[in-house]
Amino acid sequence: MAQMVHSAAATATPAAQPDVELRRVVKAFGAEVAVCDLDLAVRQGEFFSILGPSGCGKTTTLRLIAGFETPSAGDVLIQGANVSTVPAHRRPVNTVFQSYALFDHMTVKDNIAFGLKIRRMGTAQVRDRVAEALRLVRMESMANRYPAQLSGGQQQRVALARALVNHPAVMLLDEPLGALDQKLRKQMQVELANLHRQLGITFIMVTHDQEEALALSDRIAVMNNGQIEQIGTPSDIYDRPSTAFVADFIGDTNLLPGRIDQPHPRQVQVTTDSGLRVLACMSGSTVAQAVVVSVRPEKINLSLSAPAAANNCYQGHISHLMYLGTHLHCVVRLGSGETLMVRHPNRAESLIGVDTAVYVHWAADDCLVLDAA
Amino acid sequence: MKIQNSNFPYPPTLLTFPTLLTPMTPAHSPTPSNTWADRLAPRLWLGPVTLLGPAGVWLLVLLVLPTLLILEISLVPGLRLGQPSGGYGLGNYLQILQPVYLRVIWRSLVFAVGSTALCLLMGFPVAYWLALMSPQRWRNLLLVAFILPLWTSSLLRAYAWTTILRPSGVLNGMLTAIGLPAQNWLNTPTAVFIGLTYSFLPYMVLILYASLEKLDIRLLEAAADLGATPRQCFWKITVPQTLPGIAAASLLVFISTLSDFVVPTLLGGASSMNISRLIYNQFLGPTRAWGFGSALSMVLILAVSLAIALLIRYGDRNTVTEA
């Protein structure tokens, strides 16, 4: 269902101008280039995530949109207006900070009312808007507390309310759930998704948590070294990564370097460096000699006996085994010397242990050929 | 606190383990009163006494007892050195209420409040620049430059000002050089304000710096993000966030300037009599009115104690100790 809602939001205004656009943006701090030649267009109403490892430039990108940094080159556009040199306090965006940055000398109510009072809104209207924001984040009973009297999750909600009460054109979220524990994180993810649906405004979230990005986003930009590796829907990114970095960063994957020896219209045969022959489908129009085959651990099947008519089928034995509740994480050492990570469902019949001889096999459609980095 | 052996939260294996605990608890005598904690408990008071004892004796002999002595003397009306005295009474305190002495106290307050305000007005921008805007690599050097004057004696610094402010001094030399009339600076209240502000500005800057340095820049970004102009950021975030530091610095400077003796004496002349000088005159001047001087001292001690109480209640003591 979430998927349906996402696609509806994404296709509602297909031809409209993007809400946020970065054009060939460069940001350098001294000799260090944090963001390099970045092009980005975020559609109106979209939940857009910028995902990447720490130091990849994703937070700098968000700060460029918020106005805390000015680009060294290139332009930042918000709703069609070039705001590259407009200071933060005159941009129609609001930010939820990773550290929340709540004003600890003000009550929850005053924190939320801050932006409205700055804009000299009437007292009655401020009261109504604050009440509405408090209701949205379900914090009505905490209005008169101080931030120090709140738990992390409650502070997070106040930070959200303080931003959304201003009805910004774009909400910027900098690792919004980074400081919460696992369980609260999951719960807040649902609330974030609900808020986005209710408000219908553009959300741009920076995160290093791929699961969070996959769960919440309409589209994701994967960043590495100050550049965007790929922009696409969660399933684009996960199922059809365009680079080996994306395949490796999003989820776990086995990367087998090799060379194409038989190109077909839809499938290719690759001989890996260790001598395995792998039948795989092409990603995009990549035709290159040196390639990497990517196959995800959950796409690999394990069996004790030889499977009937399988394409990519190899013999090996289990060299490591981790019990993870929902599944078993196995490392299989193949006869050719390669090791593969395999995610095996935890079922009663899975009577495997370290040193068990097994067959691994997967369908050609379940692995990808990518350019060697 | 007495710890019952049966509920003692250490497993028996730990007590019999032949390492650190063995000297205190021989494993062969596990009687209730012989656990190491029980043995140690009666001697726990030894620690605080050893640590606080020397300073405590020092304070008792050189601060508490003299203060009590002053209190006693202040309660003997008309006590003069070398004259027989009568009984106890409040005469000395009633003498303070004479207009001539109330004017001295009022003048002391004006000096203290005025120079504190001047220190704050001049010190805050400096501390702000040092903490938030100065280049990181020069910051410590700049701070040291600010503290440097404090390493010379306050007396010397006051004398230095007399050469600047005297009729044929540096200041008048500069004024006449640019065509302005020379002024009489020395021995005026203006000179006292200049001297006090100069003397205590470094303390103000240091304490404000310690407070501003801890200011969370992200709060300023958050305020800007919510539409606040730099000016609004300053008044709605920076000032409230550093208010404890401002209170601490102001009270500390107020306390110091209220009771300062050197600057009003050397720079203020006869027109700038303040409470410290008045007290000095009672003890060492021709009248030798120790009783009246003691009463004045008690008033000053009370006023300073009040300011310190405010400092403890409202000021950020961490910034004071850090500075």
Side-chain angles (χ1 to χ4, degrees):
Chain A
M1 196 211 72
Q3 207 55 43
M4 245 171 58
V5 173
H6 285 161
S7 53
T11 53
T13 52
Q17 71 179 6
D19 239 7
V20 173
E21 199 178 351
L22 304 191
R23 290 186 188 155
R24 305 188 66 83
V25 167
V26 177
K27 179 64 190 178
F29 298 100
E32 199 158 321
V33 179
V35 168
C36 181
D37 230 9
L38 198 79
D39 280 302
L40 194 70
V42 181
R43 298 174 197 139
Q44 204 199 326
E46 196 174 26
F47 198 129
F48 191 91
S49 292
I50 303 174
L51 178 64
S54 53
C56 73
K58 56 187 192 299
T59 295
T60 305
T61 307
L62 198 77
R63 291 172 63 83
L64 283 161
I65 301 171
F68 303 135
E69 311 285 355
T70 48
S72 312
D75 290 316
V76 179
L77 288 87
I78 297 176
Q79 295 189 315
N82 191 336
V83 295
S84 303
T85 55
V86 174
H89 67 270
R90 284 199 259 119
R91 294 192 186 193
V93 300
N94 285 118
T95 308
V96 176
F97 292 85
Q98 183 175 11
S99 57
Y100 313 143
L102 296 179
F103 308 131
D104 50 17
H105 60 285
M106 297 180 195
T107 60
V108 166
K109 206 169 54 187
D110 291 338
N111 264 281
I112 298 172
F114 187 86
L116 303 177
K117 284 184 183 160
I118 287 285
R119 277 185 274 143
R120 300 185 202 288
M121 188 176 277
T123 324
Q125 208 182 345
V126 168
R127 203 184 46 227
D128 293 348
R129 288 271 284 269
V130 169
E132 183 207 347
L134 280 168
R135 192 178 47 73
L136 268 174
V137 298
R138 300 192 284 111
M139 289 284 289
E140 298 99 318
S141 57
M142 307 279 175
N144 292 314
R145 299 244 186 130
Y146 282 88
Q149 298 168 302
L150 303 178
S151 70
Q154 291 168 334
Q155 291 185 21
Q156 166 65 65
R157 287 190 191 154
V158 176
L160 270 169
R162 189 178 65 174
L164 62 84
V165 74
N166 304 291
H167 296 177
V170 181
M171 279 267 277
L172 305 175
L173 304 115
D174 184 8
E175 305 255 6
L177 311 179
L180 304 179
D181 61 58
Q182 188 66 26
K183 194 156 188 173
L184 205 52
R185 248 177 122 95
K186 286 272 195 297
Q187 189 187 329
M188 286 302 294
Q189 282 178 10
V190 175
E191 290 191 24
L192 261 186
N194 285 339
L195 269 178
H196 176 244
R197 200 161 42 225
Q198 284 178 49
L199 300 170
I201 58 177
T202 309
F203 275 39
I204 302 179
M205 177 175 81
V206 155
T207 182
H208 66 268
D209 183 337
Q210 32 151 321
E211 208 176 303
E212 194 168 289
L214 292 173
L216 293 173
S217 317
D218 294 313
R219 287 195 306 152
I220 299 171
V222 181
M223 277 188 80
N224 186 32
N225 287 330
Q227 285 175 313
I228 289 178
E229 293 265 337
Q230 186 177 5
I231 299 183
T233 64
S235 69
D236 282 341
I237 302 276
Y238 190 82
D239 294 326
R240 290 174 294 283
S242 59
T243 67
F245 173 83
V246 175
D248 196 29
F249 185 72
I250 310 292
D252 293 322
T253 197
N254 296 291
L255 293 175
L256 308 169
R259 283 177 184 282
I260 293 178
D261 47 33
Q262 274 183 42
H264 292 286
R266 274 199 66 248
Q267 293 185 329
V268 288
Q269 185 173 300
V270 175
T271 303
T272 67
D273 294 352
S274 60
L276 293 182
R277 292 225 187 100
V278 182
L279 203 60
C281 61
M282 294 292 288
S283 163
S285 58
T286 313
V287 178
Q289 278 297 307
V291 292
V292 178
V293 176
S294 163
V295 53
R296 300 224 180 254
E298 74 272 17
K299 309 262 170 146
I300 302 179
N301 301 301
L302 271 188
S303 58
L304 294 172
S305 52
N311 271 328
N312 302 315
C313 180
Y314 314 98
Q315 254 187 306
H317 66 273
I318 309 249
S319 64
H320 289 285
L321 193 64
M322 259 188 282
Y323 179 79
L324 296 174
T326 58
H327 64 275
L328 303 168
H329 181 88
C330 316
V331 178
V332 177
R333 181 171 289 279
L334 302 183
S336 58
E338 239 139 1
T339 57
L340 291 178
M341 291 182 289
V342 180
R343 187 183 160 115
H344 190 61
N346 183 10
R347 296 203 197 101
E349 74 266 25
S350 45
L351 286 167
I352 50 172
V354 173
D355 288 336
T356 309
V358 289
Y359 289 90
V360 294
H361 55 101
W362 65 86
D365 287 345
D366 280 335
C367 63
L368 279 176
V369 175
L370 303 166
D371 280 333
Chain B
M1 194 186 71
K2 197 101 166 124
I3 296 165
Q4 292 299 315
N5 177 56
S6 54
N7 294 329
F8 192 62
Y10 290 91
T13 46
L14 196 59
L15 293 175
T16 51
F17 203 70
T19 53
L20 279 175
L21 296 178
T22 17
M24 316 222 60
T25 313
H28 49 80
S29 60
T31 50
S33 61
N34 258 359
T35 64
W36 64 269
D38 269 5
R39 282 178 156 203
L40 203 59
R43 272 176 260 156
L44 282 178
W45 55 271
L46 267 174
V49 163
T50 357
L51 293 173
L52 302 179
V57 170
W58 182 271
L59 283 176
L60 189 72
V61 172
L62 295 175
L63 184 77
V64 179
L65 291 181
T67 307
L68 289 175
L69 196 63
I70 291 172
L71 179 65
E72 197 207 346
I73 296 172
S74 76
L75 290 169
V76 182
L79 178 79
R80 277 177 166 62
L81 198 60
Q83 289 182 10
S85 63
Y88 291 115
L90 289 172
N92 291 326
Y93 289 93
L94 292 174
Q95 193 183 348
I96 297 173
L97 295 177
Q98 291 172 16
V100 61
Y101 299 122
L102 285 181
R103 262 203 299 281
V104 170
I105 291 173
W106 173 247
R107 194 181 294 124
S108 306
L109 284 171
V110 169
F111 282 151
V113 171
S115 49
T116 303
L118 283 171
C119 280
L120 183 60
L121 284 176
M122 285 196 271
F124 197 94
V126 174
Y128 187 91
W129 182 81
L130 273 174
L132 300 173
M133 294 161 78
S134 67
Q136 191 89 46
R137 36 192 260 148
W138 297 111
R139 198 164 290 171
N140 283 335
L141 203 68
L142 289 164
L143 269 177
V144 170
F146 241 90
I147 307 167
L148 218 54
L150 298 182
W151 291 351
T152 59
S153 137
S154 61
L155 194 64
L156 283 179
R157 281 181 287 145
Y159 269 122
W161 272 102
T162 62
T163 67
I164 298 173
L165 299 176
R166 67 169 188 251
S168 57
V170 180
L171 183 56
N172 275 341
M174 276 156 54
L175 285 178
T176 48
I178 59 169
L180 289 171
Q183 299 277 322
N184 184 28
W185 301 102
L186 201 58
N187 300 332
T188 64
T190 311
V192 178
F193 280 117
I194 292 174
L196 287 177
T197 305
Y198 166 79
S199 297
F200 296 101
L201 185 61
Y203 295 103
M204 179 67 89
V205 169
L206 278 178
I207 297 168
L208 288 178
Y209 172 83
S211 178
L212 281 161
E213 201 205 12
K214 287 189 295 184
L215 181 67
D216 188 351
I217 305 297
R218 288 170 299 190
L219 294 185
L220 299 180
E221 283 186 349
D225 186 72
L226 293 165
T229 60
R231 181 193 294 263
Q232 287 169 319
C233 282
F234 179 79
W235 288 110
K236 289 180 186 290
I237 308 296
T238 310
V239 170
Q241 285 282 324
T242 50
L243 209 52
I246 294 172
S250 300
L251 282 166
L252 200 82
V253 171
F254 174 80
I255 292 164
S256 310
T257 47
L258 182 67
S259 52
D260 193 62
F261 174 76
V262 171
V263 169
T265 308
L266 289 184
L267 303 179
S271 64
S272 301
M273 176 70 74
N274 75 341
I275 189 163
S276 307
R277 290 174 70 188
L278 189 61
I279 292 169
Y280 171 90
N281 285 352
Q282 303 315 310
F283 282 97
L284 299 173
T287 57
R288 302 278 155 141
W290 281 30
F292 181 51
S294 297
L296 283 169
S297 303
M298 289 314 295
V299 169
L300 184 59
I301 289 169
L302 200 71
V304 169
S305 306
L306 203 71
I308 291 173
L310 287 174
L311 177 66
I312 290 169
R313 178 71 182 79
Y314 296 107
D316 184 351
R317 272 166 294 157
N318 293 335
T319 58
V320 177
T321 42
E322 271 167 33

